[in-house]
Amino acid sequence: MPYTDVESEGIYRCEVSTEAPNFQTVKAEREMRIYVNPSSKPVILGTKSYYAPGDTVDVTCMSAPSRPAAILKWWINGEEARTKRMPSVESPDGLYTSKLRLKFEARPNHFWEGKMKLQCEAIISQAHTLRSEEIIITNNGATTATGAYDQQKDGPTIDGGKHVYSVGDLVDINCTAARSQPPAELHWYINDKEVRPDYLVPRKPVVYQNGEESPVLGLKFVVKQRHFQKQEMRLRCTATLSEVKRMTSEPLEAILAEQQKSDLHVDLNISSVSNRSTWSALVIHPLCCLFVFLVSRTFF
C-alpha cells in the first residue's frame, strides 16, 4: 500500500492453502489503525484579562483536529478541575475536534498573589496490539498445536497448558506480556471472541528494577462442547500497548480585578479632593463633607 488514509483502517486477513493430498490451510490477520496527531496545542476561548471574586469564568478549550479524538482536561492553578465531557465533532476527512467547557464562580482562593492560572491539556492515546501464538485444540482428544507463524515479535506468551484437552477438562493457562512501561493491557479470546469476565483470573505482575512490568492474566474455564467450532477450539491472547501523547495549552493568567481601598486626600490649602486609586469608585462619607464645609466657613 503506497498510500494510506483513514479509509485504510481495518482488519486485513490472509489465507494460504496447500495442495493435495494434505489441503492444510494457514490463516493470519492484522489490524491497521490510522493515527493523526494534533498539529498544534489546544487553545482557550472566551477569556477575559481581569476577573474579580464573584465573577463567572466561562471558557472553552478546543483541540486541533486529530484521530482518535483528544481527551481534554482543565487545570486551575495546577489542580485538575471537574468538568462534563462534550461529544467530539468528526469532520469529513475523518478527524475529530474536541471541546471542553469550564464554568465556575471566581473566589478569592482562586487568586494566588493576585493571579489565577488556567490551563487546558489534550491527551491522545495511540494503542498498538501484539498477538500471542494461537493454541488450537480439537475435540477428539488430539494434542494441541501452536500457530507460531502468527506470533508477533515481543508478543505475549502462553504457558501452563496441557497437551490434550477433552470436554469436561479444566483449562487453566496464563498469558504474560513483554516488559514495558506503562504495562500492556491483556485480553483473552476463544475462537476470535473475547472471553467472558468470569473466565479471567488476575495474576500478580512481574515488576523489574527499572520500573517496567510484565502483566500476567490467567484464563480458567471448563471445556464445553459449545467451545468447539468445526471440531476446533482456538485460544489466543493479545497485549495492547498505549502510547500517550500530551499537549498543553499556553497558560492563561487572569489578573485579580479586586476593589482597592480609596486613598482619599483632602488639601485644605487648595480646597481640592483627589482620589489616588485607579480601580475603585470615589466614596466620601457625609461626616467628611460636613467637616470640609465647617472648615470652609471658618476660612471664608
Side-chain angles (χ1 to χ4, degrees), residues 137-142 144 162-172 199 219-225 227-228 233:
I137 303 172
T138 62
N139 63 352
N140 56 7
T144 62
K162 300 191 304 181
H163 292 290
V164 178
Y165 284 101
S166 301
V167 174
D169 288 349
L170 178 67
V171 175
D172 189 1
Y199 280 29
L219 176 66
K220 189 175 183 179
F221 66 98
V222 176
V223 178
K224 306 289 185 181
Q225 186 62 46
H227 290 134
F228 292 94
M233 176 174 62

Side-chain angles (χ1 to χ4, degrees), residues 225-286:
Q225 186 62 46
R226 57 183 170 83
H227 290 134
F228 292 94
Q229 294 183 358
K230 297 181 180 180
Q231 299 183 345
E232 287 184 348
M233 176 174 62
R234 293 177 289 114
L235 306 179
R236 183 186 291 279
C237 172
T238 64
T240 301
L241 294 167
S242 296
E243 180 182 356
V244 178
K245 296 183 180 293
R246 299 176 183 268
M247 302 182 73
T248 306
S249 68
E250 296 296 335
L252 168 67
E253 292 189 347
I255 300 176
L256 171 64
E258 184 181 18
Q259 189 178 40
Q260 306 294 314
K261 291 183 179 180
S262 176
D263 185 7
L264 179 65
H265 177 69
V266 180
D267 190 343
L268 299 180
N269 293 327
I270 59 175
S271 301
S272 64
V273 179
S274 63
N275 183 2
R276 296 176 184 170
S277 173
T278 59
W279 286 9
S280 61
L282 176 63
V283 180
I284 303 178
H285 197 278

Side-chain angles (χ1 to χ4, degrees), residues 187-218:
H187 297 268
W188 272 107
Y189 296 84
I190 300 178
N191 300 325
D192 295 329
K193 291 185 178 180
E194 191 164 3
V195 302
R196 294 169 8 192
D198 57 311
Y199 280 29
L200 301 176
V201 182
R203 307 289 190 190
K204 187 176 180 180
V206 181
V207 182
Y208 302 91
Q209 292 183 350
N210 63 353
E212 293 181 332
E213 293 185 21
S214 290
V216 183
L217 183 63

Side-chain angles (χ1 to χ4, degrees), residues 87-99:
S88 301
V89 178
E90 184 178 5
S91 59
D93 58 2
L95 303 184
Y96 296 87
T97 299
S98 299
K99 291 184 179 181

Side-chain angles (χ1 to χ4, degrees), residues 70-83:
I71 298 174
L72 300 179
K73 291 184 178 181
W74 271 108
W75 302 84
I76 304 176
N77 297 325
E79 295 185 3
E80 186 175 353
R82 291 184 178 181
T83 54

Side-chain angles (χ1 to χ4, degrees), residues 38-87:
S39 59
S40 60
K41 298 178 180 179
V43 295
I44 301 176
L45 307 175
T47 62
K48 297 193 301 183
S49 300
Y50 298 93
Y51 289 96
D55 287 353
T56 298
V57 180
D58 190 357
V59 290
T60 300
C61 174
M62 184 174 69
S63 70
S66 65
R67 186 181 181 89
I71 298 174
L72 300 179
K73 291 184 178 181
W74 271 108
W75 302 84
I76 304 176
N77 297 325
E79 295 185 3
E80 186 175 353
R82 291 184 178 181
T83 54
K84 290 185 178 180
R85 296 198 180 279
M86 302 170 62

